[in-house]
Amino acid sequence: MYLLAFVGACVLVAMAPGVSTAIILRQTLRAGRGSGMAATLGNETGILLWGLAAAFGLSALLVASQLAYDVMRVVGAVVLVVMGAQALWQARKGAPLTNGAAEVEGAVVPGLRGPYLAGLGTCLANPKAAVFAMSFLPQFVAPGQNVPVTLATLAVVWVLVDLAWYGLLIWTVARAKAVLGRPAVRRRLEQISGVVLIGLGVRLAAESR
């Protein structure tokens, strides 16, 4: 019963748009499904690490330290603003695909390291993810269960649900690439993603606990 409730909650969390969705969609639109999945795997690596940190009490150190929290918050905000500014600059210049992506005979061949690190970096630099893991996962530990083992298991389930949702999202966006991949549309989407990323960064910088 607890597990079913947890899976349902994970689906709702995954569907809520946020930093992860913006990064994954941008990579998918810019360089195809491979790049989007690489960004997803990077993001889920970060989610798993935060979940395991919550399981073993490491996230509590971040929650308890205002200085550590603020440092991570500022770093995360800077990362988002820089990525947003890059998107706006590329949209203005109409620049070709970057981050290791290249076109070969009309097909996009993405470099996976850049998108993976983008997904991982934005997740790990977001202290809200740590706080969320600390407050979200323990609610679904049944009485009498081994807490660290259960929390680690829930973290893995959370990642699997995320992978399923983002995989579906990436597939849907890739299917619409004939329209979304047009130069004018791509530039507009770069502009939108840039504004969204900068907005998320500013919001993160302005937020307190």
Side-chain angles (χ1 to χ4, degrees):
M1 196 67 179
Y2 279 88
L3 182 59
L4 290 177
F6 179 71
V7 170
C10 286
V11 171
L12 294 178
V13 170
M15 293 176 65
V19 175
S20 299
T21 304
I23 296 297
I24 291 166
L25 287 180
R26 179 171 181 256
Q27 292 296 337
T28 303
L29 291 170
R30 297 184 70 242
R33 283 178 291 184
S35 184
M37 284 305 301
T40 300
L41 290 174
N43 181 75
E44 298 314 312
T45 300
I47 291 294
L48 181 60
L49 291 175
W50 282 131
L52 293 176
F56 295 101
L58 300 178
S59 293
L61 298 177
L62 174 62
V63 175
S65 173
Q66 183 67 45
L67 177 60
Y69 181 91
D70 287 341
V71 169
M72 285 195 63
R73 179 170 55 82
V74 172
V75 170
V78 170
V79 170
L80 291 174
V81 170
V82 169
M83 292 183 69
Q86 288 177 340
L88 292 177
W89 178 251
Q90 288 163 2
R92 180 184 178 188
K93 293 183 64 176
L97 296 173
T98 56
N99 290 342
E103 288 198 24
V104 179
E105 297 181 354
V108 175
V109 181
L112 301 183
R113 182 179 179 184
Y116 176 85
L117 292 177
L120 176 63
T122 52
C123 183
L124 291 182
N126 184 4
K128 294 291 183 181
V131 175
F132 185 74
M134 282 287 295
S135 60
F136 179 56
L137 297 180
Q139 299 180 46
F140 299 92
V141 178
Q145 290 185 326
N146 184 299
V147 174
V149 172
T150 303
L151 288 176
T153 302
L154 292 176
V156 173
V157 173
W158 185 5
V159 167
L160 293 177
V161 172
D162 267 9
L163 287 173
W165 167 253
Y166 287 126
L168 177 61
L169 187 63
I170 290 168
W171 180 84
T172 302
V173 171
R175 293 283 292 180
K177 194 175 180 182
V179 174
L180 299 177
R182 295 173 182 172
V185 176
R186 181 179 292 174
R187 283 196 298 272
R188 181 63 64 185
L189 291 172
E190 283 280 10
Q191 292 171 344
I192 293 172
S193 67
V195 171
V196 169
L197 289 171
I198 291 174
L200 290 171
V202 171
R203 188 182 72 175
L204 181 60
E207 284 181 346
S208 59
R209 288 182 189 268

